[in-house]
Amino acid sequence: MTPNATPVIVSFARYFSRPFCPECGREQFVPEQSSFVDDGCIRHAWLCEACGNAFNTHIEFDELSL
Ligand SMILES: [Zn+2]
């Protein structure tokens, strides 16, 4: 498998990479909210269904560029 064979899927997977709750370690599936912070960054706000912990993740667009 070569990286160039599936660039869209790779980007999709990285964009939607699922974090783990820092409190209980449960994998998160859908962000509560996604927002553009600026031109190069998206912030996802997560709310853990297992323990109710809220946390944020950031994704830089530079990481998605191929
Ligand atoms: Zn949790």
Side-chain angles (χ1 to χ4, degrees):
M1 183 173 131
T2 61
N4 289 337
T6 56
V8 174
I9 292 173
V10 169
S11 294
F12 183 88
R14 293 179 70 177
Y15 178 84
F16 289 103
S17 63
R18 296 193 290 255
F20 293 87
C21 175
E23 288 295 321
C24 71
R26 177 170 171 153
E27 187 174 20
Q28 307 297 300
F29 292 98
V30 181
E32 286 287 306
Q33 184 176 2
S34 298
S35 55
F36 286 92
V37 178
D38 56 38
D39 287 342
C41 185
I42 294 175
R43 180 174 61 201
H44 292 314
W46 304 85
L47 183 61
C48 179
E49 293 181 0
C51 72
N53 180 51
F55 61 100
N56 295 317
T57 58
H58 292 79
I59 296 177
E60 306 267 342
F61 271 123
D62 287 347
E63 296 177 1
L64 303 179
S65 299
L66 296 174

